Amino acid sequence: MRRKLCLAPLVLLAYCSFSYSDLTFEQSANAAANGYNWVMTNILPDYTGLIVSGLVYQYTTVKDTADDMVVTVQNENLAGDGYIFRSVDDWSGLPGNSINKVIPIPAVLGSAFGNGSISWSGRGNVIDANVVYSYQYDLCFDPQADPTCPDYVKPIPELPVIVVSDPLQDEFIRAEMEKKAALEDEEEEAERLKKKKERKGKKRLEILLGSINSTLLSAQAQAQADLLLAMNAGIEVYYTSIPGGRYDETVSYADTQLPPNVNARRVSFAQQLLHEKMIKSQYSNLISQP
Amino acid sequence: MINKTLLALGAAICALPAYAENAQITGTVESKCTIITEITGVYGNPTTNKLSTLPADGGVIPIVRYDVVSANHYKAKITTPIAFSSSPPLDDVVDWTGTSAVTEVSVAEMSAYETNKVIYNNVTEYTLTLAGTTWFKAESTALFGYDKSFPSGTYNAIVSAECIAL
């Protein structure tokens, strides 16, 4: 029970923050300052969810009492047909005077307000017109408009779209590659044809040589065969079979001590002596020269 | 026996003293006509013997606003001053002139108030035949003696604006 009571203020606090709203109330400048027809986008600020709650208009009629005159103040309705408000003042048979009129508007979105105007019919004139709109807006109507707004959600940055260009898809590269491939094909075909031609030539040459050799060989072989046949020993060789089996090593050398070769040592020593003598002889020639 | 008892009971009831209670009824009537001074007047002193609220004379014309909720139930009565409410001692007569007029209306037909106004002495009366707001001005001019200079000091006068129920 105590825990529930402790949670109550928190729930209340959460409810209060949910109902948070910061309305700003303002009034426009004189819409009729630059003429009796005005564009509302130039009069009302561009806030999302702006609501017009009323307007006050003033003007003075200059006329003779007996004259008829009807003045109309109005705003077109962009959200539908007709007018959002239309106030008609009939001054017929009345002396001219200033009018100061408050028009309550039951919370209409500013975006629904079309062009405004003051127009009149009859004899007379309207001077010193003043039309002021009262409006309200909430800067946090769109919570994303300001990071300080409640319910603001930090936006996820949009990932940049990287355009990957495949060089193989490039028109010029593809054309070049196709051209190269065609050239390679042509070269390959030419190579193939060349090899084929060479092979054909070689084959023809082989056939030619083969035919000549075979003719020559066959003539020699025929003569040899005839000779062998005459000796009666040739043809049987072809039918003699070679006996197989294992041929073991039959020759072997026994290990013995080689005696020192004294003669060889002597020759070697003699050669060394001769060599040294030759070397020294070069120097002796140098010393002997003046 | 029963009848005797009932008779005795009836006699006892009749013998009780009679009680009475007075229930109170209260009610408040809010005025359906309010008057607000929108602009306080100022006397200008264009010449030594003249005090005037006209802008041309350096003065400011006072403006009073009548807000009427119910039509045809009230009358506006505006009285321009004929004496200073406070001033330095004056040793001569003051010649007063004053006018009242409708300066602004919230309904065009109220413009007829000006045509239909009734003037007597220094009083102007308007019958408020329409619900809405009407602005009245009250001009006042004071001339001292015969070309005589006003003594220096502060001069105050009062414009009386009343809303009289019809």
Side-chain angles (χ1 to χ4, degrees), chain A residues 58-59 65 89-91 93-102, chain B residues 102-115 133 135:
Chain A
Q58 298 160 319
Y59 64 84
T65 304
D89 303 316
D90 189 356
W91 295 88
L94 296 169
N97 212 319
S98 296
I99 192 166
N100 187 334
K101 210 164 187 175
V102 179
Chain B
V102 176
T103 57
E104 215 168 346
V105 294
S106 65
V107 181
E109 287 79 3
M110 286 178 178
S111 185
Y113 290 172
E114 188 61 27
T115 314
T133 305
W135 287 260

Coordinates of all heavy atoms in Angstrom, one line a residue, chain A residues 58-59 65 89-91 93-102, chain B residues 102-115 133 135:
Chain A
Q58 N -11.6 48.2 -38.0 CA -12.0 49.6 -37.9 C -12.0 50.3 -39.2 O -11.0 50.0 -40.0 CB -11.1 50.4 -36.9 CG -11.1 49.8 -35.5 CD -9.9 50.2 -34.7 OE1 -8.8 50.2 -35.2 NE2 -10.1 50.5 -33.4
Y59 N -12.9 51.1 -39.5 CA -12.8 52.0 -40.6 C -13.8 53.2 -40.4 O -14.6 53.2 -39.5 CB -13.1 51.3 -41.9 CG -14.5 50.7 -42.0 CD1 -15.6 51.5 -42.5 CD2 -14.8 49.4 -41.7 CE1 -16.9 51.0 -42.6 CE2 -16.1 48.9 -41.8 CZ -17.1 49.7 -42.2 OH -18.4 49.2 -42.3
T65 N -25.7 61.5 -45.3 CA -26.7 60.6 -44.5 C -27.7 60.0 -45.4 O -28.1 58.8 -45.2 CB -27.4 61.5 -43.4 OG1 -26.4 62.1 -42.6 CG2 -28.3 60.7 -42.6
D89 N -21.8 45.8 -43.1 CA -22.3 47.0 -42.4 C -23.1 47.9 -43.3 O -22.6 48.3 -44.3 CB -21.1 47.8 -41.8 CG -20.3 46.9 -40.9 OD1 -20.8 46.2 -40.1 OD2 -19.0 47.0 -41.0
D90 N -24.4 48.0 -43.0 CA -25.2 48.8 -43.9 C -25.3 50.2 -43.4 O -25.9 50.5 -42.3 CB -26.6 48.1 -44.0 CG -27.5 48.8 -45.0 OD1 -27.1 49.8 -45.6 OD2 -28.6 48.3 -45.3
W91 N -24.7 51.1 -44.1 CA -24.7 52.6 -43.7 C -25.8 53.4 -44.4 O -25.8 54.6 -44.3 CB -23.4 53.2 -43.9 CG -22.2 52.6 -43.1 CD1 -21.5 51.5 -43.5 CD2 -21.8 53.0 -41.9 NE1 -20.6 51.3 -42.5 CE2 -20.7 52.2 -41.5 CE3 -22.1 54.1 -41.0 CZ2 -20.0 52.3 -40.3 CZ3 -21.5 54.2 -39.8 CH2 -20.4 53.3 -39.5
G93 N -28.7 55.5 -45.3 CA -29.6 56.4 -44.5 C -29.0 56.8 -43.1 O -29.6 57.4 -42.3
L94 N -27.7 56.5 -43.0 CA -27.0 56.8 -41.7 C -25.9 57.8 -42.0 O -25.3 57.8 -43.0 CB -26.5 55.5 -41.0 CG -27.5 54.5 -40.6 CD1 -26.8 53.2 -40.2 CD2 -28.3 55.0 -39.4
P95 N -25.6 58.6 -41.0 CA -24.5 59.5 -41.2 C -23.2 58.7 -41.1 O -23.1 57.7 -40.5 CB -24.6 60.5 -40.0 CG -25.4 59.7 -39.0 CD -26.3 58.9 -39.7
G96 N -22.2 59.2 -41.8 CA -20.9 58.5 -41.8 C -20.3 58.5 -40.4 O -20.4 59.5 -39.7
N97 N -19.6 57.5 -40.1 CA -18.9 57.4 -38.8 C -17.8 56.3 -38.8 O -17.6 55.7 -39.8 CB -20.0 57.0 -37.7 CG -19.7 57.7 -36.4 OD1 -18.5 57.7 -36.0 ND2 -20.7 58.2 -35.7
S98 N -17.2 56.2 -37.7 CA -16.2 55.2 -37.5 C -16.8 54.0 -36.9 O -17.6 54.1 -36.0 CB -15.0 55.7 -36.7 OG -14.4 56.8 -37.3
I99 N -16.4 52.8 -37.4 CA -16.9 51.6 -36.8 C -15.7 50.8 -36.2 O -14.6 50.8 -36.8 CB -17.7 50.7 -37.8 CG1 -18.4 49.6 -37.1 CG2 -16.8 50.2 -38.9 CD1 -19.5 49.0 -38.0
N100 N -15.9 50.2 -35.1 CA -14.9 49.4 -34.4 C -15.6 48.1 -34.0 O -16.3 48.0 -33.1 CB -14.4 50.1 -33.2 CG -13.2 49.4 -32.6 OD1 -13.0 48.2 -32.7 ND2 -12.4 50.2 -31.9
K101 N -15.2 47.0 -34.8 CA -16.0 45.8 -34.6 C -15.1 44.6 -34.3 O -14.0 44.4 -34.9 CB -16.8 45.5 -35.9 CG -18.1 44.7 -35.7 CD -18.9 44.8 -37.0 CE -20.2 44.2 -36.8 NZ -21.1 44.4 -38.0
V102 N -15.5 43.8 -33.3 CA -14.7 42.6 -32.9 C -15.5 41.4 -33.5 O -16.7 41.2 -33.3 CB -14.7 42.5 -31.4 CG1 -13.9 41.2 -31.0 CG2 -14.0 43.7 -30.8
Chain B
V102 N -20.9 61.0 -31.1 CA -20.5 59.6 -31.3 C -19.3 59.6 -32.2 O -19.3 60.1 -33.3 CB -21.7 58.8 -31.9 CG1 -21.3 57.3 -32.2 CG2 -22.9 58.8 -31.1
T103 N -18.2 59.0 -31.7 CA -17.0 58.9 -32.5 C -16.8 57.6 -33.2 O -16.2 57.5 -34.2 CB -15.8 59.2 -31.7 OG1 -15.7 58.3 -30.6 CG2 -15.8 60.6 -31.1
E104 N -17.3 56.5 -32.5 CA -17.1 55.2 -33.1 C -18.2 54.3 -32.6 O -18.7 54.5 -31.5 CB -15.7 54.7 -32.5 CG -15.0 53.8 -33.5 CD -13.5 53.6 -33.1 OE1 -13.1 54.2 -32.2 OE2 -12.9 52.7 -33.7
V105 N -18.5 53.3 -33.5 CA -19.6 52.4 -33.2 C -19.1 51.0 -33.5 O -18.2 50.8 -34.2 CB -20.9 52.7 -34.0 CG1 -21.4 54.1 -33.6 CG2 -20.6 52.7 -35.5
S106 N -19.8 50.0 -32.8 CA -19.5 48.6 -33.2 C -20.5 48.0 -34.1 O -20.3 47.0 -34.7 CB -19.5 47.8 -31.9 OG -20.7 47.7 -31.3
V107 N -21.6 48.8 -34.3 CA -22.6 48.4 -35.3 C -23.0 49.6 -36.1 O -23.2 50.7 -35.5 CB -23.9 47.8 -34.6 CG1 -25.0 47.4 -35.6 CG2 -23.6 46.7 -33.6
A108 N -23.0 49.5 -37.4 CA -23.2 50.6 -38.2 C -24.5 51.5 -37.9 O -24.4 52.7 -37.9 CB -23.3 50.2 -39.7
E109 N -25.5 50.7 -37.5 CA -26.8 51.4 -37.2 C -26.7 52.4 -36.0 O -27.5 53.3 -35.8 CB -27.9 50.4 -36.9 CG -28.4 49.7 -38.2 CD -27.5 48.6 -38.6 OE1 -26.4 48.3 -38.0 OE2 -27.7 48.0 -39.7
M110 N -25.6 52.2 -35.1 CA -25.5 53.0 -34.0 C -25.1 54.5 -34.4 O -25.2 55.4 -33.6 CB -24.3 52.5 -33.1 CG -24.7 51.3 -32.3 SD -23.3 50.8 -31.3 CE -24.1 49.4 -30.4
S111 N -24.7 54.6 -35.7 CA -24.4 55.9 -36.2 C -25.6 56.8 -36.1 O -25.5 58.0 -36.1 CB -23.9 55.8 -37.6 OG -23.5 57.0 -38.1
A112 N -26.8 56.2 -36.1 CA -28.0 57.0 -36.0 C -28.1 57.7 -34.6 O -28.9 58.6 -34.4 CB -29.2 56.1 -36.2
Y113 N -27.4 57.2 -33.6 CA -27.4 57.8 -32.3 C -27.1 59.3 -32.4 O -27.7 60.2 -31.7 CB -26.4 57.2 -31.3 CG -26.7 55.8 -30.9 CD1 -25.7 55.1 -30.1 CD2 -27.9 55.2 -31.1 CE1 -26.0 53.8 -29.7 CE2 -28.1 53.9 -30.7 CZ -27.2 53.2 -30.0 OH -27.4 51.9 -29.6
E114 N -26.2 59.6 -33.3 CA -25.8 61.0 -33.5 C -26.9 61.9 -34.0 O -27.1 63.0 -33.6 CB -24.5 61.1 -34.4 CG -23.9 62.4 -34.5 CD -23.3 62.9 -33.2 OE1 -23.0 62.1 -32.3 OE2 -23.3 64.2 -33.1
T115 N -27.6 61.3 -34.9 CA -28.8 62.0 -35.5 C -29.9 62.2 -34.5 O -30.5 63.3 -34.5 CB -29.3 61.2 -36.7 OG1 -28.2 60.7 -37.5 CG2 -30.2 62.0 -37.6
T133 N -21.1 48.3 -28.6 CA -20.2 49.3 -27.9 C -20.3 50.6 -28.7 O -20.3 50.6 -30.0 CB -18.8 48.8 -27.9 OG1 -18.8 47.5 -27.3 CG2 -17.9 49.7 -27.2
W135 N -18.6 54.6 -28.7 CA -17.6 55.5 -28.2 C -18.1 57.0 -28.3 O -18.6 57.4 -29.4 CB -16.3 55.4 -28.9 CG -15.5 54.1 -28.6 CD1 -14.5 54.0 -27.7 CD2 -15.7 52.9 -29.2 NE1 -14.0 52.7 -27.7 CE2 -14.8 52.0 -28.6 CE3 -16.6 52.3 -30.1 CZ2 -14.7 50.6 -29.0 CZ3 -16.5 51.0 -30.5 CH2 -15.6 50.2 -29.9

